[in-house]
Amino acid sequence: MKKREKEYVEFRYYEIPQRVPLIALMGERWVTRYGSDPMHFHNYMEIGYCCYGEGVMHLGKEDVRYGEGTVTVIPKNFPHHTTGRDDVFDSWEYLFIDTERFLKNVYADKPVYANTVLERLHSRMFLTSREEAPEIDALVRVILNEMRNKEEFYLESVQGCLLTLLLKIARMNPADSVPEAKVIDDGSLNSILAVLNYIEKHYQEEIKVGQLAQICHMSETHFRRVFTEYMNTSPAEYVNLVRIERACEYLAKSDERLEDIAVKVGFQASATFIRNFKKIVGTAPHQWRSAARGKEDNPSNYNVSVLKGW
């Protein structure tokens, strides 16, 4: 049987407590006045919609102000983070889109065309608004409403709107954009991105800070300082964040013992796993698993569809 379109797009919504690591927010509604999230990137395109609030979005080295009605377009693997105003609440909704699989499915008989659109889509990250791009604003809100309400034929509606949205985003990017150049022109930031990719592939193994420093061709001391500057967290804390994120997937979707999950995600001792889980998520693993499975129509407790975007 052909897999349905649900696999291509994921919807998340939360009111962001910006100082709390992302993994602690997934599947919950939060609100805060303070802080900022750490520099991070995703493995799918992220389209964000600011329902209300204001602050600054840090796109690599570029800082851009956002406010109510702002739409953010962040291609995969682009480092970014937000800083909200101290006296203002923020509320965001997000779409995480597997653009490659979606477009190559839609244009199965036109692979060159699909690749051209993908290059344009992932050539840069930017912010826009309902005043600057009313059609993009409208399409994003339609998709968010469809994913939230899940009425009859919502998947088919999402697929049609999503294709139109992606083509309009690609149209906004210059045809001569060079995806490899992106907006990252800082050598240190490129090095940090290489480290993030390494952690994503090797989080199950023992990872020492010295290994990560070697990837960047830096001394360990210099690497710690640069990493913390860009990511707002230490290398060791980021490794644990990735491990706990993966642990949440296992907890929500399997009946494996905590001890086995701990080893699978790179913790050699259950006590270390539980301590870090409580620190990052705010609750014990078994409590999180129970809460995750108690959410009707939301079995993993942090997404609405089946994608595993982060």
Side-chain angles (χ1 to χ4, degrees):
M1 181 181 294
K2 182 179 179 181
K3 294 185 178 180
R4 304 193 69 186
E5 288 74 24
K6 183 183 285 190
E7 295 184 354
Y8 301 121
V9 60
E10 171 185 347
F11 166 57
R12 298 182 194 160
Y13 56 95
Y14 26 76
E15 296 170 320
I16 302 179
Q18 302 221 26
R19 280 182 180 163
V20 182
L22 182 63
I23 187 66
L25 313 180
M26 295 176 176
E28 301 294 337
R29 298 190 66 85
W30 295 74
V31 65
T32 189
R33 298 176 186 271
Y34 311 107
S36 65
D37 60 339
M39 183 74 79
H40 63 283
F41 67 97
H42 304 283
N43 61 340
Y44 292 126
M45 169 172 275
E46 173 198 286
I47 295 180
Y49 187 83
C50 182
C51 303
Y52 55 83
E54 58 182 279
V56 176
M57 178 75 71
H58 307 278
L59 307 178
K61 297 180 68 178
E62 181 184 8
D63 295 342
V64 183
R65 297 204 65 82
Y66 68 83
E68 181 178 339
T70 293
V71 175
T72 60
V73 179
I74 314 292
K76 65 178 182 180
N77 297 334
F78 275 77
H80 62 283
H81 73 102
T82 58
T83 302
R85 269 183 49 181
D86 285 353
D87 59 341
V88 176
F89 290 96
D90 272 3
S91 177
W92 286 81
E93 294 183 316
Y94 294 95
L95 296 169
F96 290 87
I97 305 165
D98 188 347
T99 53
E100 183 171 1
R101 290 186 59 233
F102 177 70
L103 289 172
K104 289 187 176 180
N105 179 277
V106 172
Y107 297 114
D109 57 338
K110 299 179 180 179
V112 175
Y113 183 81
N115 286 331
T116 299
V117 175
L118 283 168
E119 287 184 359
R120 296 273 291 275
L121 278 174
H122 292 276
S123 63
R124 68 183 182 117
M125 50 186 170
F126 65 92
L127 275 63
T128 187
S129 67
R130 61 184 63 154
E131 292 77 21
E132 296 171 343
E135 291 180 328
I136 286 181
D137 172 84
L139 285 164
V140 169
R141 287 190 288 112
V142 167
I143 294 172
L144 289 169
N145 286 332
E146 291 283 9
M147 295 297 290
R148 184 190 304 109
N149 298 326
K150 296 185 177 181
E151 296 180 352
E152 186 178 16
F153 310 128
Y154 82 96
L155 288 177
E156 291 76 11
S157 174
V158 166
Q159 180 175 346
C161 291
L162 182 60
L163 177 59
T164 304
L165 174 63
L166 294 179
L167 292 175
K168 287 187 177 294
I169 291 172
R171 184 184 290 169
M172 292 183 70
N173 292 334
D176 58 353
S177 297
V178 182
E180 292 75 15
K182 301 186 177 179
V183 299
I184 305 172
D185 56 3
D186 181 271
S188 295
L189 187 53
N190 279 316
S191 296
I192 296 303
L193 182 55
V195 167
L196 299 184
N197 278 303
Y198 179 87
I199 292 171
E200 178 62 25
K201 293 177 181 178
H202 299 277
Y203 67 89
Q204 295 171 303
E205 307 167 11
E206 181 182 7
I207 298 178
K208 296 182 178 180
V209 176
Q211 293 174 271
L212 304 179
Q214 288 178 0
I215 294 173
C216 297
H217 306 289
M218 299 178 185
S219 69
E220 190 169 321
T221 301
H222 183 54
F223 168 71
R224 288 180 188 274
R225 183 186 64 78
V226 171
F227 188 96
T228 303
E229 176 186 343
Y230 280 113
M231 299 301 295
N232 255 359
T233 189
S234 71
E237 288 171 338
Y238 183 81
V239 170
N240 286 334
L241 177 62
V242 172
R243 288 170 172 168
I244 295 303
E245 189 172 34
R246 297 299 175 273
C248 285
E249 294 181 7
Y250 287 118
L251 286 167
K253 299 179 181 180
S254 78
D255 294 315
E256 294 183 73
R257 300 185 310 157
L258 296 185
E259 295 83 355
D260 296 332
I261 291 175
V263 173
K264 271 191 171 183
V265 299
F267 293 103
Q268 297 307 309
S270 297
T272 306
F273 166 60
I274 293 171
R275 182 175 68 252
N276 279 281
F277 196 97
K278 287 181 177 178
K279 177 181 177 182
I280 293 172
V281 179
T283 187
H286 70 279
Q287 294 173 322
W288 193 93
R289 170 181 265 169
S290 298
R293 295 184 176 187
K295 297 281 186 180
E296 184 178 0
D297 296 326
N298 194 3
S300 66
N301 200 35
Y302 60 82
N303 62 43
V304 175
S305 70
V306 299
L307 279 186
K308 298 179 182 177
W310 45 263

